[in-house]
Amino acid sequence: MPILEITQPKRSYRRDGKQAILDAALELFTRQGYEETSVEDLRKAAGFKSKASLYAHFESKEAVAEALSVHIFKLTERQILIDYEKAGTDPLEILIAITKGVIRWGLEHPKEYTFRFIRTQQNRLVQGQYDYTTGQFSIAYGKMLDLLQYLRQHYPVRPIADEALISVTLGLISRSVIDREAFGNISLEEQVNQVLALCMGIFFSEPI
């Protein structure tokens, strides 16, 4: 079976000026939108006295958004690592553990996950591909493809391109995070399991 080799990401930003800007950006971008958020808004929310002090950390609003997107993605990959290490060696259990971990992380961090989802869609429109498929950021994406290829030999994985299966699954998780209230008044664990069942329905053509 393929081995999912994931290294720990570099230490995240300390609670300093840069992190203050990222925290402010997450709040503003998800509440009022990227286009409606100005550098002046970021400055005030982050507690800087001047735009110059903000520009000492980031050269533009776009640079802030990109840094925030990468930061969130690293947090997601860290969750993938944690769940992988707990999953054992069975490929199916690894897939379930990783998928469930991403779902749980998204539901527990809706602002981060929602911003990341919107950002990846923008990258797709501008660049023609999702950034996690380029190999520049994602450690796990290629290994997930290997995992699906292995599972095809033993389980009824749908006869759909692996890239499409992963993309649709991530899209489903993202919509579940954004539309969480649509699931009704159920516990976090119940929602995680319901979304997981839907994801498995994407991966496999028959119950497993």
Side-chain angles (χ1 to χ4, degrees), residues 2 95 143-153 157 161-163 165-166 203-204:
L95 178 67
K143 300 303 181 181
M144 281 293 292
L145 293 175
D146 292 340
L147 183 62
L148 280 175
Q149 290 175 10
Y150 180 86
L151 288 171
R152 284 188 186 281
Q153 303 173 30
V157 177
D162 295 336
E163 292 87 348
L165 289 175
I166 294 175
F203 284 125
F204 301 102

Side-chain angles (χ1 to χ4, degrees), residues 130-201:
Y130 297 113
D131 56 7
Y132 60 77
T133 67
T134 66
Q136 296 177 358
F137 300 119
S138 178
I139 301 170
Y141 183 73
K143 300 303 181 181
M144 281 293 292
L145 293 175
D146 292 340
L147 183 62
L148 280 175
Q149 290 175 10
Y150 180 86
L151 288 171
R152 284 188 186 281
Q153 303 173 30
H154 306 281
Y155 295 93
V157 177
R158 290 189 182 278
I160 299 173
D162 295 336
E163 292 87 348
L165 289 175
I166 294 175
S167 177
V168 173
T169 301
L170 292 176
L172 170 63
I173 295 172
S174 300
R175 291 305 311 182
S176 298
V177 172
I178 295 171
D179 298 330
R180 183 174 180 179
E181 293 182 357
F183 285 82
N185 187 24
I186 61 175
S187 67
L188 172 65
E189 191 64 30
E190 288 175 310
Q191 187 171 353
V192 169
N193 288 331
Q194 287 183 7
V195 178
L196 176 64
L198 292 172
C199 291
M200 292 300 104

Side-chain angles (χ1 to χ4, degrees), residues 13-25 42 45-48:
Y13 295 109
R14 296 168 299 176
R15 180 63 192 180
D16 53 12
K18 182 172 288 187
Q19 185 63 53
I21 296 170
L22 294 180
D23 291 344
L42 290 172
F48 285 85

